[in-house]
Amino acid sequence: MFKFADIHCHPNLKTFGHSFNESVISDPRSNLWYHQPLTKYRRLVKNISGISSYSQADLSAMCSGNVKLAFVSLYPFEKGFFINLTGSGLVSAYVSDLVTGIGYRRVRHLQRHLDYFQDLEREYDFFRNSERSSPENGEDRSWTFISSSQELEEVMIAKNRLGIVLSIEGAHVFNTGLGEFGRTPDPDEVVEKVRAVKQWEHPPVFITFAHNFYNDLCGHAPSLEILGPLVNQKNGMNEGFTELGIKTLHELLSDEQGAPILIDIKHMSLKARKQYFEILETDYAPSQWLPIIVSHGGVTGLNLIGGTTIPGAENLFYKTDINFYDEELITISKSGGLFALQLDCRRLASKSFIHQVPAIAAQKKVSPAALLVWTQIQHIAEVLDRARLPAWDMICIGSDFDGSVNPPDGCLGSMDFSDLGMNLLKLIENYLLLRKGTWNLPENGWLEPVSIMQKISSGNAVSFLDQYFRKYKKKPAL
């Protein structure tokens, strides 16, 4: 059974939301170990609406799926979700809770507050003070923060133990993007907040710099098409970096006030991504090792001029700028970065291909989830091989589970990772037989199928984190 790493997940999103319950008795849904099973009714709701009202990434589900390493993403929701076409009152709160599952009282708090950073600190405190273990079938399952290569190695071999590092989704957490709600960003405050996060006992390894709404720092890609006119994310969409954004970027990447917080380019506009690549090239030496991260992404199947590097790819993938172009895959690989695949049907494939997947998967005797994920992996590997780069060294999983995603059948939550791994192994085996002797970089064909699957399931993420710890000399957690 393969060990898994998930470099973008939200076991905290719904649980933290339910901690806002004002009752004397705590809500069981505020426990990170609480598992809400996928019943027939909840499956029906998911299939009809795309809303997942079951637990995708609670810690129990992760342990069941043999997840050994999780990059837990802290995400103070942006107010634009909850002050929308339905207003900012009770109706909006009920609708928003229905879609997100984070709890009515949490939504009301998000509608009213004007301090993203305070919300971030509260979520951080909630997670680090959560229960560290839970009995299951007579055995204790536990989680621990890891802050060194030694701790990483220990947790990967320990039984029933999950290692946690943190990330942040959205640089709005430094109190930007609040202008339309009455709070103008303060450049000095932004720098102060970045430095404060770097001094946490368990600082984040990376930050998803942009997200769903304008943050006064850089433009974002369209991402909320499914919500239609309910929300408006047009302000700042597809724009580049602002002066404050570049200043914030350099502060995050500096090693003077603590270890650099690396940059995750998911959700950045294409224009901002291009600018970021230029900034890395002009302002930083290669020896500084600032790898480019896509924590939960998919490919477009296109190159930047709108053509195809791999014939036929244009019909397979979701072709908007929330996903990534072939040249970007090459840039990420050269940087020593990671490209993690998001387990959301809406990002993994075109609508036409989605309809074909069940029949093709049945023919190949694998799950639809495995086929969708493999199609992404194959494309990335072939683009990199054509560029004579290592084909298998940057691909990993960043599920975005419990982040309001609609996962494919065969991997509906972290508990299904083990099955996903075995299905992917079949596809890798068949592919390597077909590609034998045809690689542009011969080394790409030398690995055994099991070794490739081990890289994708956890090896690449573990190697990346090990290098991060060694490079920046992280101290062990207390």
Side-chain angles (χ1 to χ4, degrees):
M1 183 163 53
F2 294 105
K3 298 175 181 178
F4 277 85
D6 189 342
I7 79 159
H8 186 85
C9 55
H10 298 280
N12 46 310
L13 206 63
K14 293 179 180 178
T15 49
F16 177 54
H18 289 293
S19 72
F20 283 68
N21 182 4
E22 295 179 354
S23 171
V24 175
I25 302 173
S26 64
D27 189 329
R29 293 174 296 177
S30 66
N31 189 321
L32 291 170
W33 296 96
Y34 177 79
H35 183 69
Q36 199 167 35
L38 177 60
T39 62
K40 289 183 180 180
Y41 170 74
R42 290 180 183 132
R43 182 184 288 273
L44 180 64
V45 169
K46 175 200 173 299
N47 291 340
I48 293 174
S49 67
I51 297 172
S52 298
S53 58
Y54 61 96
S55 299
Q56 295 175 336
D58 60 89
L59 300 190
S60 296
M62 285 193 191
C63 289
S64 295
N66 208 28
V67 178
K68 300 296 295 177
L69 173 64
F71 291 63
V72 171
S73 180
L74 304 179
Y75 171 42
F77 273 97
E78 295 136 299
K79 293 174 71 67
F81 271 117
F82 308 112
I83 299 176
N84 51 43
L85 189 64
T86 61
S88 59
L90 303 183
V91 173
S92 175
Y94 280 117
V95 171
S96 300
D97 178 35
L98 178 66
V99 173
T100 63
I102 62 173
Y104 169 80
R105 294 191 182 280
R106 171 68 172 142
V107 174
R108 291 297 283 159
H109 170 79
L110 290 163
Q111 288 176 329
R112 295 164 175 163
H113 83 80
L114 277 175
D115 195 327
Y116 286 135
F117 191 76
Q118 185 182 67
D119 206 39
L120 173 71
E121 289 186 310
R122 187 171 176 176
E123 186 177 357
Y124 169 62
D125 287 340
F126 166 81
F127 196 93
R128 65 177 182 157
N129 292 322
S130 296
E131 291 184 26
R132 296 296 178 105
S133 64
S134 177
E136 181 73 21
N137 297 326
E139 293 184 312
D140 262 356
R141 295 172 166 184
S142 64
W143 71 269
T144 183
F145 283 116
I146 51 176
S147 302
S148 69
S149 293
Q150 181 181 342
E151 292 173 344
L152 175 60
E153 182 179 356
E154 289 172 353
V155 82
M156 291 304 294
I157 62 175
K159 185 178 180 181
N160 294 327
R161 195 174 177 200
L162 171 65
I164 299 288
V165 294
L166 297 178
S167 67
I168 292 174
E169 187 156 28
H172 64 281
V173 299
F174 305 120
N175 282 333
T176 63
L178 287 165
E180 64 182 292
F181 306 107
R183 182 169 182 171
T184 303
D186 179 346
D188 291 335
E189 181 191 12
V190 171
V191 171
E192 173 193 329
K193 301 304 187 192
V194 171
R195 293 178 178 179
V197 167
K198 287 188 177 187
Q199 296 305 310
W200 282 358
E201 182 183 3
H202 307 289
V205 174
F206 62 78
I207 184 169
T208 313
F209 196 79
H211 203 215
N212 292 308
F213 298 92
Y214 187 51
N215 63 8
D216 294 302
L217 305 175
C218 78
H220 53 281
S223 60
L224 301 176
E225 304 91 330
I226 192 172
L227 296 180
L230 182 63
V231 298
N232 182 359
Q233 60 171 168
K234 290 182 179 179
N235 183 30
M237 186 188 293
N238 298 322
E239 295 297 325
F241 274 86
T242 66
E243 183 178 343
L244 176 59
I246 293 174
K247 180 178 181 180
T248 305
L249 187 73
H250 288 310
E251 190 63 42
L252 287 162
L253 294 177
S254 169
D255 61 1
E256 293 182 1
Q257 300 291 330
I261 299 175
L262 303 176
I263 304 301
D264 169 20
I265 63 173
K266 174 63 188 280
H267 287 291
M268 276 188 190
S269 68
L270 178 58
K271 182 177 181 179
R273 299 195 310 252
K274 290 178 177 178
Q275 287 182 320
Y276 179 55
F277 299 157
E278 291 173 0
I279 289 169
L280 287 180
E281 189 171 339
T282 58
D283 294 359
Y284 295 92
S287 60
Q288 290 179 267
W289 192 71
L290 296 174
I292 300 166
I293 299 163
V294 173
S295 70
H296 55 300
V299 303
T300 63
L302 304 175
N303 55 40
L304 286 170
I305 60 173
T308 56
T309 307
I310 309 298
E314 68 274 15
N315 300 317
L316 297 176
F317 303 112
Y318 185 59
K319 297 179 291 187
T320 69
D321 288 353
I322 191 70
N323 281 351
F324 295 84
Y325 294 86
D326 291 350
E327 293 91 338
E328 295 180 280
L329 301 177
I330 291 168
T331 300
I332 295 164
S333 174
K334 288 180 177 179
S335 78
L338 290 178
F339 192 98
L341 296 171
Q342 179 180 13
L343 299 180
D344 188 340
C345 295
R346 295 166 293 201
R347 301 290 182 239
L348 289 175
S350 65
K351 288 184 179 179
S352 61
F353 185 50
I354 283 284
H355 293 309
Q356 301 172 42
V357 164
I360 299 173
Q363 182 182 21
K364 294 180 179 290
K365 298 181 179 180
V366 296
S367 67
L371 181 62
L372 285 169
V373 171
W374 169 248
T375 305
Q376 296 269 332
I377 293 170
Q378 179 180 332
H379 182 80
I380 295 169
E382 291 182 359
V383 168
L384 296 182
D385 181 63
R386 286 194 175 205
R388 296 186 177 274
L389 291 167
W392 312 110
D393 289 357
M394 75 174 190
I395 308 169
C396 55
I397 301 295
S399 69
D400 203 15
F401 280 153
D402 271 341
S404 300
V405 297
N406 183 15
D409 285 343
C411 194
L412 297 176
S414 304
M415 59 281 184
D416 295 330
F417 274 151
S418 294
D419 289 340
L420 175 67
M422 297 310 295
N423 277 261
L424 284 173
L425 181 61
K426 293 180 187 178
L427 294 166
I428 295 170
E429 289 171 343
N430 293 334
Y431 178 74
L432 290 184
L433 287 173
L434 293 173
R435 281 298 305 267
K436 193 171 184 179
T438 66
W439 295 93
N440 293 289
L441 185 66
E443 298 94 304
N444 288 332
W446 291 354
L447 288 176
E448 293 295 321
V450 168
S451 297
I452 292 173
M453 189 59 229
Q454 286 173 337
K455 279 178 169 285
I456 294 167
S457 66
S458 63
N460 291 334
V462 169
S463 295
F464 166 86
L465 188 58
D466 176 61
Q467 188 170 353
Y468 179 82
F469 287 150
R470 293 181 188 278
K471 175 72 175 178
Y472 298 113
K473 299 179 180 178
K474 302 281 286 181
K475 296 179 180 179
L478 299 176

mmCIF file of all heavy atoms in Angstrom, residues 253 255 283-291 471-472:
data_model
loop_
_atom_site.group_PDB
_atom_site.id
_atom_site.type_symbol
_atom_site.label_atom_id
_atom_site.label_comp_id
_atom_site.label_asym_id
_atom_site.label_seq_id
_atom_site.Cartn_x
_atom_site.Cartn_y
_atom_site.Cartn_z
ATOM 1 N N LEU A 253 9.686 36.160 0.623
ATOM 2 C CA LEU A 253 10.812 35.353 0.159
ATOM 3 C C LEU A 253 12.118 35.671 0.875
ATOM 4 O O LEU A 253 13.092 34.926 0.747
ATOM 5 C CB LEU A 253 10.995 35.535 -1.352
ATOM 6 C CG LEU A 253 9.867 34.998 -2.229
ATOM 7 C CD1 LEU A 253 10.138 35.299 -3.695
ATOM 8 C CD2 LEU A 253 9.674 33.499 -2.021
ATOM 9 N N ASP A 255 14.913 35.891 3.750
ATOM 10 C CA ASP A 255 15.285 35.001 4.860
ATOM 11 C C ASP A 255 15.847 35.781 6.046
ATOM 12 O O ASP A 255 16.439 35.201 6.952
ATOM 13 C CB ASP A 255 16.292 33.952 4.386
ATOM 14 C CG ASP A 255 17.592 34.563 3.864
ATOM 15 O OD1 ASP A 255 17.724 35.807 3.888
ATOM 16 O OD2 ASP A 255 18.473 33.798 3.435
ATOM 17 N N ASP A 283 15.681 38.999 -9.970
ATOM 18 C CA ASP A 283 15.964 39.490 -8.620
ATOM 19 C C ASP A 283 16.578 38.453 -7.688
ATOM 20 O O ASP A 283 17.007 38.813 -6.584
ATOM 21 C CB ASP A 283 14.669 40.009 -7.970
ATOM 22 C CG ASP A 283 14.118 41.238 -8.673
ATOM 23 O OD1 ASP A 283 14.747 41.692 -9.649
ATOM 24 O OD2 ASP A 283 13.058 41.735 -8.270
ATOM 25 N N TYR A 284 16.614 37.196 -8.098
ATOM 26 C CA TYR A 284 17.102 36.144 -7.209
ATOM 27 C C TYR A 284 18.082 35.236 -7.940
ATOM 28 O O TYR A 284 17.870 34.893 -9.111
ATOM 29 C CB TYR A 284 15.936 35.304 -6.657
ATOM 30 C CG TYR A 284 15.003 36.100 -5.774
ATOM 31 C CD1 TYR A 284 13.874 36.725 -6.311
ATOM 32 C CD2 TYR A 284 15.265 36.264 -4.423
ATOM 33 C CE1 TYR A 284 13.019 37.469 -5.517
ATOM 34 C CE2 TYR A 284 14.414 37.000 -3.610
ATOM 35 C CZ TYR A 284 13.299 37.612 -4.162
ATOM 36 O OH TYR A 284 12.461 38.363 -3.370
ATOM 37 N N ALA A 285 19.132 34.841 -7.228
ATOM 38 C CA ALA A 285 20.125 33.933 -7.794
ATOM 39 C C ALA A 285 19.613 32.499 -7.714
ATOM 40 O O ALA A 285 18.897 32.149 -6.770
ATOM 41 C CB ALA A 285 21.439 34.051 -7.030
ATOM 42 N N PRO A 286 19.959 31.645 -8.689
ATOM 43 C CA PRO A 286 19.527 30.243 -8.650
ATOM 44 C C PRO A 286 19.921 29.527 -7.366
ATOM 45 O O PRO A 286 19.223 28.623 -6.907
ATOM 46 C CB PRO A 286 20.232 29.626 -9.863
ATOM 47 C CG PRO A 286 20.463 30.772 -10.790
ATOM 48 C CD PRO A 286 20.718 31.958 -9.906
ATOM 49 N N SER A 287 21.029 29.938 -6.754
ATOM 50 C CA SER A 287 21.501 29.285 -5.535
ATOM 51 C C SER A 287 20.563 29.496 -4.349
ATOM 52 O O SER A 287 20.643 28.787 -3.343
ATOM 53 C CB SER A 287 22.896 29.798 -5.166
ATOM 54 O OG SER A 287 22.861 31.203 -4.954
ATOM 55 N N GLN A 288 19.656 30.465 -4.458
ATOM 56 C CA GLN A 288 18.736 30.736 -3.348
ATOM 57 C C GLN A 288 17.632 29.682 -3.232
ATOM 58 O O GLN A 288 16.960 29.615 -2.223
ATOM 59 C CB GLN A 288 18.126 32.138 -3.501
ATOM 60 C CG GLN A 288 19.152 33.247 -3.260
ATOM 61 C CD GLN A 288 18.557 34.619 -3.445
ATOM 62 O OE1 GLN A 288 18.621 35.192 -4.528
ATOM 63 N NE2 GLN A 288 17.973 35.158 -2.391
ATOM 64 N N TRP A 289 17.446 28.866 -4.240
ATOM 65 C CA TRP A 289 16.442 27.800 -4.255
ATOM 66 C C TRP A 289 15.073 28.308 -3.778
ATOM 67 O O TRP A 289 14.666 28.132 -2.650
ATOM 68 C CB TRP A 289 16.870 26.606 -3.405
ATOM 69 C CG TRP A 289 16.001 25.401 -3.648
ATOM 70 C CD1 TRP A 289 15.976 24.625 -4.773
ATOM 71 C CD2 TRP A 289 14.999 24.846 -2.789
ATOM 72 N NE1 TRP A 289 15.035 23.626 -4.662
ATOM 73 C CE2 TRP A 289 14.417 23.725 -3.456
ATOM 74 C CE3 TRP A 289 14.529 25.160 -1.528
ATOM 75 C CZ2 TRP A 289 13.411 22.946 -2.892
ATOM 76 C CZ3 TRP A 289 13.517 24.382 -0.969
ATOM 77 C CH2 TRP A 289 12.965 23.294 -1.650
ATOM 78 N N LEU A 290 14.397 28.945 -4.722
ATOM 79 C CA LEU A 290 13.029 29.399 -4.485
ATOM 80 C C LEU A 290 12.126 28.672 -5.483
ATOM 81 O O LEU A 290 11.763 29.202 -6.535
ATOM 82 C CB LEU A 290 12.930 30.914 -4.651
ATOM 83 C CG LEU A 290 13.744 31.720 -3.637
ATOM 84 C CD1 LEU A 290 13.713 33.200 -3.971
ATOM 85 C CD2 LEU A 290 13.232 31.480 -2.216
ATOM 86 N N PRO A 291 11.783 27.432 -5.178
ATOM 87 C CA PRO A 291 11.005 26.615 -6.109
ATOM 88 C C PRO A 291 9.598 27.162 -6.310
ATOM 89 O O PRO A 291 8.988 27.711 -5.399
ATOM 90 C CB PRO A 291 10.970 25.244 -5.426
ATOM 91 C CG PRO A 291 11.122 25.558 -3.970
ATOM 92 C CD PRO A 291 12.050 26.728 -3.903
ATOM 93 N N LYS A 471 17.645 23.318 3.729
ATOM 94 C CA LYS A 471 18.088 24.596 3.189
ATOM 95 C C LYS A 471 17.927 25.714 4.209
ATOM 96 O O LYS A 471 18.788 26.576 4.363
ATOM 97 C CB LYS A 471 17.281 24.927 1.926
ATOM 98 C CG LYS A 471 17.550 26.298 1.320
ATOM 99 C CD LYS A 471 18.895 26.381 0.659
ATOM 100 C CE LYS A 471 19.080 27.724 -0.034
ATOM 101 N NZ LYS A 471 20.411 27.861 -0.654
ATOM 102 N N TYR A 472 16.814 25.700 4.908
ATOM 103 C CA TYR A 472 16.507 26.818 5.793
ATOM 104 C C TYR A 472 16.661 26.478 7.270
ATOM 105 O O TYR A 472 16.252 27.259 8.130
ATOM 106 C CB TYR A 472 15.109 27.362 5.471
ATOM 107 C CG TYR A 472 15.069 27.890 4.056
ATOM 108 C CD1 TYR A 472 14.307 27.274 3.080
ATOM 109 C CD2 TYR A 472 15.857 28.987 3.686
ATOM 110 C CE1 TYR A 472 14.301 27.744 1.775
ATOM 111 C CE2 TYR A 472 15.857 29.454 2.383
ATOM 112 C CZ TYR A 472 15.085 28.843 1.436
ATOM 113 O OH TYR A 472 15.093 29.294 0.147
#
